[in-house]
Each structure stands twice: as structure tokens, then as C-alpha cells.
């Protein structure tokens, strides 16, 4: 009888403790998701208020005047495009070496390790690096320096996904091709890349999403520009840097544009990540 | 006659074949070295980053020597630079944010793996992963315009009043409610690193073999007991690795912090006071810095930041690698 009572109290205590901890877990989920929902909600409300055609067609205005973000949007597109154009080929080839030629090379784990470090290194440090290497040498800030800084961020993302995706390609496919007498480079091109194509494209999209919102490495490489500029040899405006500058200003119209820009960036990043996700689930390469 | 022509066509076929093979081998060697060079370029980039940071910081470090990391003065006018307050700010904001984000993240991960209805599991997981990709400037602008005023008017006065009579806590929560400051920056960091922690711990939790989990349930364990005694011990290395990865991100986070930290070069006992971090100092002052020593001091800050994050990330990667091997066996 006494043990029965003790068992019951023990049982009840365990049940209560379980309920408390699980309650905390649900509360954590509610807090986390609620918090993020509030941020996105505010962004949507404040950003949508300023969306109109002028945002896409007019230049960044002086304080207290009407204007848009056209030059910043174009600057961002140019630098991101160039960064991808530089980073993707190098990254893909590096990933190819790690997954195909150098799979059992002692160097490969080292490269993978360093690449992972580079993947999460603070982006502001990469900005400092490019400043040292390019800006001081050229003597001035430039869109090119900004693009190279972004390329350094694109590179490790592409390396990582290319390697992962090529490693997912079944070895029997390669062996079948090799048995026909196909040279290795041809196997990589016609079997490896073809099978891993969707995955590699996903990696590039993720890399674009990553650099779209990068601000820190652009602050002292591309700097900013109030005017329309497609000259890679001159300072170039970009959406994130304009947002940074406008948000910290005391002018109401600048702040409004900053919110609108923030909404545009978030929208771009989210749609890129969703597109990447759809692509990778279509190819069946779930990761 | 006919035999002869067969012979020549045979030898010419052999010649063609050899030539083709040679061409194949050549292209292959070329492609191989091309990919190898690209792979090595990853190492070169990291080496170049280190080298350029060391080179750039040489002037400041040789001028101030150890004083650079032990003094608090940051005065571009008298050209005296000590990095103690940015280093302190970086460490304290990261520490505070981890203090909140780790339990919160683990809670959400437990919710996702153990409690969440299967129908909602995928959408929630995807939502969390998508949120991990939102650029930090978005969190910064929200923190500055929405969160800081909210804290200033609703939370901070309450904190100051509530702890006014308690010895240690009163100095921790002292001073006027600025809105921006160490606490605000830490809270913004929490929301930024939360998706990372959740995504990684959830993945790690899912590596626990179902058999282990089910046998514990079969013994009559409650969900909490299964989590506490089976899931967490099994995944400890991975969870710590994931948290270190998030810490690496928190340490290097720039834009969100720059908005809400207040950029004050001083160390205050109160976490409500404005401060600064390494990355915020660089972001704020680099483009306007004049003078070689000033520049060099800012690059030295970058070097210190890179050094700290490198160690944290290396430990994190090592731990996650160990887990992968364990799972592979």
C-alpha cells in the first residue's frame, strides 16, 4: 500500500515534470516563431507603404526629396552578377577536384576544412582583406573591388555544394562510362555534371541569396554612390549599403526608402531560397 | 592488293587511336591540374586573408604592443588605440545571446522532433531554414526602429526599477534606458542565430536511431526523460558543434549589431549601456578613418576577430566531423 502511494507520487511527479518541460518547449517554439513573424510583419507593413514605380525608376534622392532606389538596385545586380561570374567557375572546378580527381588525395580533407571555415568567416574581415589587396592598390573604392569581395563569399558556398552533389552521383555511373573507355574529364563533364546539375545550380542560387544581403564587405570596397553608375572602376551603390546609410539618417524620406529596400532584399532572398529548394527537391537530391 | 589496303587502313587506325588516346590523356591532365589549381586557390585565399591582415595590422600592433588588447582608450585625435572595449563588447554580446538562444533553440528543436504534429513538421522546418537566410541588415533596421524603442519604453524602465535594490543586479541593470545598447544587441543576435541552432540541432536529433527512442518509450519513459536521457547524451557532440557554429556567427555579426549597439568605446558594468563590438567599430569607422595608425588599428581589430572566430569555427567543425564519422560507423 505504502509503495503503491510512493509509486503514484513518483509517477505524478514525472508526469508533471514532463508537462512542465514540454510546455517550455512549446513556449520556446511560440516565442521563436512569433518573434520572427513580428519582424517579417513589420517589414511588410513598413516596406509596402513605400513601394511604387518611382522606387525602380528614380535615383536615390537627396534628403527631403522624392526619389527611388534604381541606381542601388542596378549596382547590386551588377556586383552580384560579377561575383557569381568569378566565384562559380572557380568554385565548381574546386569542388570537382575534391569529389572526382582528388577524392582520396590527402589535400582534400584539408581543403574541405578550410573551405568550411571560409564559409562562416565574418564577412567584414573579407571586406578588410579586399580593401588591403585591391582598394589600396587601385587607390580608390570601386565596384570591381565590391564584386571581388562578394566573389570570395560566393566561392566557399559553391565549392561545398558542388562537392556534396558530385559525391551523391552513384559510382556505378562513372564506372560504366570508364568501362567504355571514356577519359576522366569526359566522365566528369557528361556523367558527373549532368547528374549533379540541379544540385550545383541550387548551390549557386543559395550563394546569390547569401550575397544579395551582404553589407559589411561592401562598406569599404564598393562604398556608395548617389548617382547612376555602371562604371566598375568607380564607387558603386548597392541596396544593402544604401539601406544602412539611409536607415541611420535623421531624414524621414530616407528612412522610408530604407524600409522599402529592406523589403525588396528580403523578398529577393526568400524567393531565391525557395527556388533553390524547389529545384533540389525536383532533382530528388534531398540534402 | 586488297590485303595491302586492309593493312594500311589497320595501321592508320592504330595511329589514329594512339593519337586520340594521347589527346585524351593531355586534356585529362589539363583538366585535372585546372581543377587542382582551383581547389588550392581556396587555401591560398585563406592564407592571403591571414597574411594581409597581419601585414595591415603590423604598424598598430608594433606601436602599441600588448597595450592594444589591455587598454580601453580609443582616441583617433591623440592617436591612442586600445581594443579592450570592442573585444569586451564582442564577447559579452555573444555570451548573452548564447545564454538565451541555446535553451530557446533546443526547446524549439525538441518541439519539432518530439511534439510537433507530423503535418506541421515540414513547413515549420522549412520556415526556420528560410529565416536563417534573411540578411542581417533586416534584423538591424527592425532592431533600430521597432525593437529598441519598445525596449526603451516598456522593458528597460521595468528592469531598472525591479533590480534597483538588489546589490549585484542593480549595477548590471543600471543607468537610463537608452533603448540601444549591449542588451538590445544581444537580443537581436538571439533572433539571428536562433534559426541556425534550431536547424542544426534538429538535424542532429534526427540522427538518433528510432530503436533507441522507442525502447526508452517502451520502458515507460516520458517524452522529457527520453529527450534528457537518450536524445541529448547521444547527440551531445553535434549539439555543441552546432552551438559553436552559431557562436562563430554571433562573434562576426556586423550589420545588425552596428545598428543597435550605440557605438560607445567604453566598458560599462551595466548591460543596458551602449557599447561597441569589433565588427561594429570597423563598419562604422573604417571608411572615415584618417592616418596610417588609425587604419592599422582597425585592421588589427579585424585580425583579432578573425583569430577568435577561426578558433571557434575550427572547434565546431571538428566536433561536427567527429559526429559524422560516428554516424558513418
Amino acid at each position: 500500500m505504502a509503495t503503491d502511494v510512493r509509486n503514484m507520487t513518483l509517477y505524478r511527479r514525472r508526469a508533471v515534470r514532463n508537462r512542465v518541460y514540454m510546455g517550455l518547449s512549446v513556449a520556446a517554439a511560440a516565442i521563436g516563431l512569433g518573434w520572427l513573424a513580428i519582424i517579417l510583419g513589420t517589414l511588410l507593413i513598413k516596406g509596402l507603404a513605400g513601394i511604387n514605380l518611382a522606387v525602380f525608376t528614380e535615383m536615390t534622392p537627396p534628403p527631403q526629396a522624392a526619389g527611388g532606389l534604381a541606381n542601388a538596385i542596378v549596382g547590386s545586380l551588377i556586383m552580384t552578377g560579377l561575383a557569381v561570374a568569378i566565384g562559380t567557375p572557380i568554385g565548381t572546378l574546386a569542388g570537382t577536384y575534391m569529389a572526382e580527381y582528388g577524392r582520396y588525395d590527402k589535400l582534400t580533407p584539408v581543403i574541405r576544412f578550410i573551405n568550411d571555415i571560409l564559409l562562416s568567416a565574418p564577412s567584414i574581415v573579407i571586406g578588410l582583406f579586399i580593401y588591403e589587396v585591391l582598394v589600396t592598390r587601385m587607390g580608390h573604392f570601386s565596384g570591381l573591388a565590391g564584386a571581388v569581395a562578394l566573389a570570395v563569399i560566393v566561392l566557399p558556398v559553391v565549392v561545398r555544394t558542388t562537392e556534396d552533389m558530385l559525391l551523391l552521383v552513384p559510382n556505378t555511373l562513372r564506372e560504366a562510362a570508364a568501362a567504355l573507355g571514356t577519359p576522366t574529364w569526359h566522365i566528369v563533364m557528361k556523367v558527373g555534371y549532368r547528374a549533379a546539375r540541379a544540385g550545383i545550380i541550387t548551390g549557386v542560387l543559395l550563394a546569390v541569396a547569401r550575397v544579395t544581403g551582404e553589407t559589411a564587405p561592401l562598406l569599404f570596397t564598393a562604398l556608395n554612390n548617389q548617382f547612376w553608375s555602371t562604371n566598375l572602376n568607380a564607387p558603386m551603390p548597392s541596396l544593402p549599403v544604401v539601406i544602412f546609410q539611409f536607415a541611420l539618417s535623421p531624414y524621414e524620406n530616407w528612412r522610408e526608402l530604407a524600409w522599402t529596400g529592406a523589403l525588396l532584399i528580403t523578398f529577393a532572398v526568400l524567393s531565391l531560397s525557395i527556388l533553390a529548394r524547389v529545384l533540389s527537391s525536383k532533382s530528388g537530391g534531398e540534402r | 592488293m586488297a590485303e595491302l589496303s586492309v593493312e594500311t587502313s589497320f595501321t592508320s587506325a592504330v595511329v589514329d587511336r594512339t593519337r586520340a588516346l594521347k589527346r585524351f590523356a593531355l586534356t585529362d591532365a589539363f583538366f585535372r591540374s585546372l581543377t587542382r589549381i582551383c581547389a588550392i586557390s581556396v587555401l591560398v585565399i585563406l592564407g592571403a586573408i591571414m597574411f594581409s591582415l597581419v601585414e595591415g595590422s603590423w604598424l598598430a600592433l608594433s606601436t602599441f604592443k600588448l597595450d592594444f588588447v589591455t587598454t580601453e582608450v580609443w582616441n583617433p585625435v591623440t592617436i591612442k588605440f586600445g581594443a579592450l572595449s570592442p573585444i569586451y563588447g564582442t564577447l559579452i554580446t555573444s555570451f548573452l545571446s548564447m545564454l538565451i538562444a541555446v535553451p530557446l533553440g533546443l526547446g524549439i528543436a525538441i518541439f519539432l522532433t518530439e511534439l510537433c504534429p507530423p503535418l506541421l513538421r515540414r513547413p515549420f522546418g522549412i520556415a526556420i531554414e528560410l529565416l536563417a537566410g534573411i540578411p542581417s541588415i533586416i534584423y538591424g533596421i527592425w532592431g533600430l526602429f521597432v525593437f529598441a524603442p519598445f525596449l526603451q519604453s516598456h522593458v528597460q524602465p521595468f528592469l531598472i526599477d525591479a533590480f534597483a535594490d538588489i546589490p549585484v543586479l542593480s549595477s548590471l541593470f543600471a543607468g537610463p534606458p537608452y533603448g540601444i545598447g549591449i542588451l538590445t544587441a544581444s537580443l537581436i543576435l538571439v533572433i539571428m542565430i536562433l534559426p541556425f541552432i534550431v536547424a542544426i540541432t534538429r538535424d542532429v536529433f534526427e540522427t538518433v536511431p528510432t530503436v533507441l527512442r522507442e525502447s526508452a518509450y517502451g520502458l515507460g519513459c516520458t517524452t522529457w526523460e527520453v529527450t534528457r536521457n537518450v536524445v541529448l547524451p547521444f547527440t551531445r557532440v553535434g549539439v555543441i558543434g552546432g552551438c559553436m557554429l552559431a557562436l562563430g556567427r554571433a562573434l562576426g555579426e556586423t550589420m545588425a549589431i552596428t545598428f543597435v549597439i550605440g557605438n560607445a568605446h567604453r566598458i560599462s558594468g551595466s548591460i543596458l549601456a551602449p557599447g561597441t563590438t569589433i565588427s561594429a567599430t570597423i563598419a562604422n569607422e573604417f571608411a572615415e578613418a584618417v592616418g596610417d595608425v588609425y587604419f592599422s588599428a582597425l585592421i588589427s581589430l579585424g585580425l583579432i576577430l578573425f583569430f577568435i572566430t577561426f578558433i571557434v569555427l575550427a572547434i565546431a567543425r571538428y566536433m561536427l566531423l567527429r559526429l559524422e564519422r560516428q554516424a558513418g560507423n
Side-chain angles (χ1 to χ4, degrees):
Chain A
M1 190 64 193
T3 50
D4 259 13
V5 171
R6 212 178 304 139
N7 276 345
M8 277 320 283
T9 46
L10 182 65
Y11 178 75
R12 207 166 294 140
R13 198 176 325 131
R14 287 175 53 206
V16 167
R17 175 176 290 176
N18 184 48
R19 222 165 283 151
V20 167
Y21 279 108
M22 290 309 123
L24 284 177
S25 161
V26 173
I31 291 173
L33 288 173
W35 200 346
L36 291 164
I38 288 174
I39 293 183
L40 290 180
T42 325
L43 184 65
L44 212 57
I45 292 167
K46 297 239 183 189
L48 274 181
I51 290 256
N52 51 41
L53 198 63
V55 170
F56 301 98
T57 54
E58 285 178 31
M59 304 301 118
T60 45
Q64 320 286 18
L69 295 163
N71 51 342
I73 294 172
V74 169
S76 270
L77 288 178
I78 291 175
M79 284 193 284
T80 307
L82 196 57
V84 171
I86 300 171
T88 307
I90 301 179
T92 318
L93 289 174
T96 307
Y97 180 78
M98 291 159 73
E100 301 280 351
Y101 285 108
R103 193 181 285 191
Y104 304 105
D105 190 344
K106 287 218 175 67
L107 198 63
T108 301
V110 179
I111 296 175
R112 191 179 300 133
F113 189 76
I114 295 296
N115 187 65
D116 280 351
I117 301 260
L118 211 54
L119 193 65
S120 24
S123 54
I124 192 151
V125 171
I126 290 164
L128 281 180
F129 165 62
I130 297 299
Y131 179 87
E132 285 269 292
V133 173
L134 273 181
V135 178
T136 47
R137 242 159 250 166
M138 292 168 73
H140 54 86
F141 300 104
S142 68
L144 182 68
V148 174
L150 293 182
V152 174
I153 296 169
V154 168
L155 179 71
V157 183
V158 176
V159 172
R160 181 70 198 258
T161 41
T162 307
E163 194 206 353
D164 284 349
M165 290 305 150
L166 283 177
L167 285 178
L168 282 181
V169 176
N171 251 337
T172 44
L173 284 183
R174 291 195 186 92
E175 282 159 7
L180 292 173
T182 324
T184 316
W185 65 273
H186 214 246
I187 298 178
V188 173
M189 294 281 183
K190 297 282 156 146
V191 178
Y193 285 163
R194 191 164 288 186
R197 190 170 48 199
I200 295 173
I201 294 173
T202 304
V204 175
L205 284 177
L206 287 177
V208 176
R210 169 102 198 266
V211 295
T212 303
E214 278 293 348
T215 320
L218 293 176
L219 283 175
F220 27 83
T221 50
L223 202 68
N224 199 351
N225 197 333
Q226 276 251 262
F227 308 103
W228 180 267
S229 169
T230 50
N231 180 3
L232 278 173
N233 203 23
M236 190 176 264
S238 66
L239 214 39
V241 176
V242 167
I243 294 174
F244 178 57
Q245 194 196 352
F246 279 17
L248 285 174
S249 78
Y251 310 112
E252 201 50 45
N253 70 317
W254 276 17
R255 288 184 175 188
E256 263 171 32
L257 272 179
W259 276 110
T260 309
L263 181 68
L264 288 181
I265 286 192
T266 312
F267 182 73
V269 170
L270 285 183
S271 25
L272 278 168
S273 340
I274 291 170
L275 187 64
R277 189 166 278 282
V278 169
L279 255 181
S280 73
S281 68
K282 243 188 201 157
S283 73
E286 186 67 29
R287 223 195 82 82
Chain B
M1 204 61 187
E3 248 171 46
L4 196 68
S5 90
V6 167
E7 195 108 312
T8 39
S9 74
F10 181 71
T11 43
S12 79
V14 168
V15 169
D16 277 357
R17 213 178 127 80
T18 338
R19 236 184 248 149
L21 271 179
K22 211 172 268 170
R23 205 176 56 233
F24 279 170
L26 214 66
T27 327
D28 210 28
F30 169 75
F31 194 61
R32 187 193 146 91
S33 17
L34 184 70
T35 57
R36 198 178 155 92
I37 288 168
C38 288
I40 289 173
S41 74
V42 173
L43 300 181
V44 172
I45 287 174
L46 194 87
I49 291 177
M50 283 182 181
F51 178 76
S52 75
L53 286 178
V54 170
E55 192 201 16
S57 60
W58 193 252
L59 180 64
L61 290 182
S62 58
T63 313
F64 303 116
K65 302 210 169 60
L66 214 58
D67 282 353
F68 189 74
V69 287
T70 55
T71 57
E72 205 189 321
V73 204
W74 186 270
N75 193 335
V77 181
T78 58
I79 318 185
K80 281 261 179 297
F81 298 102
L84 197 59
S85 64
I87 294 174
Y88 166 80
T90 300
L91 296 180
I92 191 80
T93 47
S94 301
F95 172 74
L96 285 177
S97 62
M98 291 303 281
L99 207 63
I100 305 170
V102 170
L104 208 56
L106 283 178
I108 299 177
I110 293 170
F111 173 79
L112 282 178
T113 48
E114 306 284 342
L115 299 174
C116 186
L119 202 66
L120 290 176
R121 205 168 282 178
R122 245 182 87 78
F124 273 176
I126 292 174
I128 297 265
E129 276 163 38
L130 288 180
L131 288 165
I134 291 187
S136 66
I137 193 160
I138 309 297
Y139 294 102
I141 190 172
W142 183 80
L144 180 69
F145 290 132
V146 182
F147 197 46
F150 170 76
L151 284 180
Q152 184 176 24
S153 56
H154 291 93
V155 178
Q156 291 184 348
F158 169 75
L159 285 176
I160 294 168
D161 286 346
F163 296 114
D165 302 325
I166 308 167
V168 181
L169 291 178
S170 68
S171 60
L172 203 57
F173 296 100
Y178 290 107
I180 52 177
I182 304 259
L183 180 69
T184 315
S186 308
L187 289 175
I188 289 289
L189 272 184
V190 168
I191 195 67
M192 291 195 59
I193 60 179
L194 199 58
F196 275 87
I197 297 182
V198 174
I200 292 179
T201 43
R202 189 205 50 185
D203 286 353
V204 169
F205 281 175
E206 274 167 5
T207 62
V208 178
T210 320
V211 184
L212 277 186
R213 223 181 239 142
E214 281 174 356
S215 12
Y217 278 122
L219 288 174
C221 287
T222 60
T223 313
W224 166 247
E225 283 160 353
V226 172
T227 309
R228 176 73 195 75
N229 301 319
V230 177
V231 175
L232 280 179
F234 189 85
T235 55
R236 197 175 46 222
V237 181
V239 169
I240 296 175
C243 291
M244 297 285 278
L245 216 56
L247 176 62
R249 192 177 154 90
L251 287 167
E253 182 41 53
T254 312
M255 297 324 290
I257 300 270
T258 309
F259 274 101
V260 293
I261 189 98
N263 304 306
H265 275 279
R266 59 190 155 88
I267 298 176
S268 170
S270 167
I271 59 168
L272 300 186
T276 191
T277 67
I278 296 178
S279 46
T281 305
I282 302 174
N284 260 315
E285 301 180 17
F286 199 82
E288 276 112 50
V290 272
D292 291 343
V293 183
Y294 195 0
F295 261 122
S296 179
L298 287 170
I299 292 171
S300 311
L301 281 181
L303 180 68
I304 293 169
L305 178 66
F306 191 62
F307 185 70
I308 299 174
T309 45
F310 188 95
I311 291 172
V312 170
L313 292 175
I315 296 172
R317 290 296 173 189
Y318 175 72
M319 289 185 127
L320 290 173
L321 211 65
R322 236 177 70 183
L323 186 83
E324 244 167 63
R325 270 192 209 136
Q326 181 191 324
N329 290 344

